[in-house]
Amino acid sequence: MKVFKFGGASVSSADAVRNSVNILKMYPANKVLVISAMGKTTNALEIVARKYFSQDPEVWNIFQEVKNYHDGIITELWGKPTELPEVEKLFQQISSRFKNEPSMNFDYEYDQIVAFGELISTRIISLYFNEIGLKNHWVDVRNCLKTDDQYRESNINWELSLRLAKRLFTFESEDLYITQGFIGGTLTNQTTTLGREGSDYTAAILANLLDAEEVSIWKNVPGILNADPDFFPNTQKLDELSYKEAIELSYSGAKVIHPKTIKPLQNKNIPLFVRSFLEPEKAGTIIHAIEHTLELIPVIIVKKNMALITLTPNDYSFISINSVSDVFSLCAKYRLKVALLQQSALDLSLAFDEPEQGIEPLISQLQQKFEVKYNIGLELLTIRYYTPETVNQITAGRTVYVEQKSRRTARMLLK
Ligand code: ASP
Ligand code: MG
């Protein structure tokens, strides 16, 4: 059995959906399709969630835009305006939420609304596939991927999800299942999400639970490249990567795969292919167990919107393991993912993604014990397999705030 993941770009229009049919026909084996919300729907639904939470009547306009976009795709796929009751029902469920006041938990409200992107896309695609004779079974993944209630970044209950997944995906009378990426459900059936871009992770979880032979992520790039082609000329495709290398790259900010995707696959030795939906016959990149050492060309990853803080204890005591541990507890409380750490006798520097709610609450808490210096709007540049020339080329004329080099990796915070 294979797991295929189609991201937002691969199902962003009627043509794209039709293209995915051709890809499926190339692989006749049993499959689970994990699909994201169409195009930029998740971004739009994030705005809907915010406007609803602040009770801004403009919520209705954005909601209507999201609906029109999907109606347009349906019209094109069916060749005429068509009302699909299963899809209409989902839109009604969103709009009926607007009639009630939100709770006080934004993250909860966010998940209840944003998850509709995936519910709607999978419904449309499943109905369309059935319509053209590609028989498939639609699964509400919330009944199978059970999570805790840490909304917007929920954690999988692996044991329970395993039992439920085995029961739901039997392949007894079906050979094609269609389900949602990115979303899950709590034990009391509240909707949760796994974090932005989490559909890759869903594909990996299902592959792990169902012992898939392989996972393919279909993207609009030919595979994993050594740099982002939007910002660097002459990029090259990496033909293969180890699981470890793939985790390092995605954690540093390479956007091709969600960082959590690799572990569930590595744990069961399941290979991951990153392939182009525009050129599906090409090999793409394979991520798998590699015994030999790879000689890679420099791989450049840029992560934007980073914050850097430097802390010095107010009383001039050394930075101790206890102060580091206090700072890390605070980072955990604010759900910050520390991407870089540097310490001297009196200074502790940390870099992380700028928090959505602003950095001020964290700073004022830290100021109780430390003198705090900070910068926001920085770039974290990671170069795996760096050479002095690549470092010079990229940093020329820019301010470097922190620089770290190990045998293989150079990392810099830049303005
Ligand atoms: N639709 C979700 C997002 O855009 C999940 C995903 O695409 O992986 O974040
Ligand atoms: Mg998406």
Side-chain angles (χ1 to χ4, degrees):
M1 184 274 289
K2 297 180 201 292
V3 176
F4 278 12
K5 181 254 169 173
F6 286 102
S10 62
V11 292
S12 63
S13 64
D15 278 345
V17 173
R18 284 191 209 107
N19 180 54
S20 69
V21 177
N22 298 333
I23 294 177
L24 295 179
K25 288 189 176 152
M26 290 168 62
Y27 296 88
N30 285 350
K31 283 180 293 293
V32 174
L33 253 54
V34 173
I35 303 179
S36 302
M38 291 173 155
K40 301 270 176 236
T41 300
T42 307
N43 292 356
L45 289 176
E46 276 191 342
I47 302 175
V48 168
R50 289 214 173 83
K51 297 222 179 277
Y52 165 61
F53 196 69
S54 60
Q55 294 284 279
D56 179 343
E58 230 225 306
V59 69
W60 288 103
N61 300 338
I62 320 257
F63 167 78
Q64 197 54 50
E65 280 171 24
V66 173
K67 183 156 189 331
N68 293 345
Y69 166 63
H70 288 90
D71 285 345
I73 292 178
I74 294 171
T75 302
E76 246 194 89
L77 286 174
W78 268 261
K80 58 177 190 298
T82 303
E83 204 162 282
L84 305 171
E86 292 88 342
V87 177
E88 284 304 312
K89 200 170 127 199
L90 292 168
F91 279 110
Q92 271 158 24
Q93 284 171 7
I94 310 179
S95 62
S96 66
R97 291 198 85 81
F98 300 162
K99 292 177 190 129
N100 299 316
E101 274 192 28
S103 69
M104 284 166 62
N105 182 348
F106 175 70
D107 291 349
Y108 167 81
E109 299 296 342
Y110 174 105
D111 279 1
Q112 307 319 302
I113 289 176
V114 168
F116 277 101
E118 271 67 15
L119 292 166
I120 293 164
S121 70
T122 51
R123 269 296 189 199
I124 295 174
I125 292 167
S126 168
L127 290 165
Y128 174 67
F129 282 5
N130 277 329
E131 178 79 14
I132 60 167
L134 192 58
K135 289 287 164 253
N136 69 89
H137 188 70
W138 183 84
V139 171
D140 185 335
V141 86
R142 296 171 298 179
N143 298 332
C144 143
L145 292 190
K146 288 295 164 189
T147 71
D148 62 7
D149 61 0
Q150 186 171 304
Y151 295 103
R152 293 185 70 184
E153 189 147 23
S154 61
N155 301 293
I156 298 289
N157 178 330
W158 287 88
E159 253 168 69
L160 187 55
S161 302
L162 175 65
R163 257 187 288 145
L164 294 167
K166 290 239 148 104
R167 215 184 289 162
L168 264 169
F169 297 91
T170 59
F171 288 99
E172 265 161 23
S173 50
E174 335 278 340
D175 56 14
L176 180 61
Y177 289 88
I178 293 188
T179 198
Q180 306 79 41
F182 177 55
I183 73 174
T186 65
L187 299 186
T188 53
N189 295 329
Q190 300 296 323
T191 303
T192 56
T193 64
L194 306 174
R196 282 303 307 266
E197 310 301 331
S199 296
D200 298 344
Y201 184 38
T202 306
I205 298 165
L206 288 174
N208 174 299
L209 299 179
L210 301 169
D211 294 301
E213 67 200 68
E214 62 180 57
V215 175
S216 291
I217 296 183
W218 295 94
K219 308 214 41 125
N220 55 359
V221 285
I224 299 186
L225 305 177
N226 74 321
D228 185 337
D230 288 346
F231 300 102
F232 294 93
N234 310 324
T235 52
Q236 289 180 39
K237 179 177 76 82
L238 307 170
D239 296 335
E240 66 170 348
L241 288 174
S242 65
Y243 291 117
K244 179 162 185 291
E245 195 64 49
I247 290 190
E248 291 289 354
L249 298 184
S250 56
Y251 190 83
S252 303
K255 293 218 183 61
V256 234
I257 33 175
H258 189 279
K260 284 181 169 177
T261 310
I262 303 299
K263 182 184 186 300
L265 300 177
Q266 187 279 340
N267 290 176
K268 289 241 172 128
N269 205 12
I270 301 168
L272 170 65
F273 293 89
V274 178
R275 292 178 156 131
S276 162
F277 62 78
L278 303 167
E279 297 173 307
E281 61 295 333
K282 297 238 170 108
T285 300
I286 178 170
I287 297 160
H288 59 164
I290 293 181
E291 303 299 338
H292 53 280
T293 26
L294 284 177
E295 285 307 321
L296 289 182
I297 51 173
V299 180
I300 304 161
I301 303 147
V302 179
K303 200 162 192 250
K304 291 184 191 283
N305 301 323
M306 300 297 292
L308 170 68
I309 53 175
T310 301
L311 310 171
T312 312
N314 282 332
D315 61 359
Y316 267 55
S317 54
F318 296 140
I319 295 287
S320 65
I321 200 74
N322 287 342
S323 38
V324 175
S325 138
D326 286 350
V327 172
F328 269 85
S329 316
L330 209 58
C331 291
K333 182 178 148 201
Y334 285 93
R335 291 204 210 160
L336 304 176
K337 293 192 189 85
V338 177
L340 181 142
L341 178 71
Q342 192 154 295
Q343 185 200 333
S344 68
L346 287 179
D347 285 343
L348 177 65
S349 296
L350 303 169
F352 43 83
D353 296 287
E354 277 171 39
E356 201 176 273
Q357 69 280 14
I359 200 169
E360 287 72 21
L362 170 72
I363 300 293
S364 53
Q365 219 166 335
L366 286 166
Q367 277 167 339
Q368 294 170 9
K369 285 194 184 164
F370 301 96
E371 185 206 317
V372 185
K373 295 195 209 81
Y374 72 94
N375 298 81
I376 53 172
L378 302 183
E379 273 183 14
L380 173 65
L381 171 71
T382 304
I383 311 176
R384 297 278 288 167
Y385 307 95
Y386 66 95
T387 58
E389 298 77 58
T390 30
V391 175
N392 290 341
Q393 230 172 17
I394 301 176
T395 56
R398 304 182 67 183
T399 314
V400 178
Y401 286 74
V402 177
E403 183 176 26
Q404 281 183 354
K405 281 183 186 156
S406 64
R407 255 159 287 182
R408 283 194 170 162
T409 310
R411 315 189 80 197
M412 275 147 280
L413 275 158
L414 304 165
K415 187 80 180 177

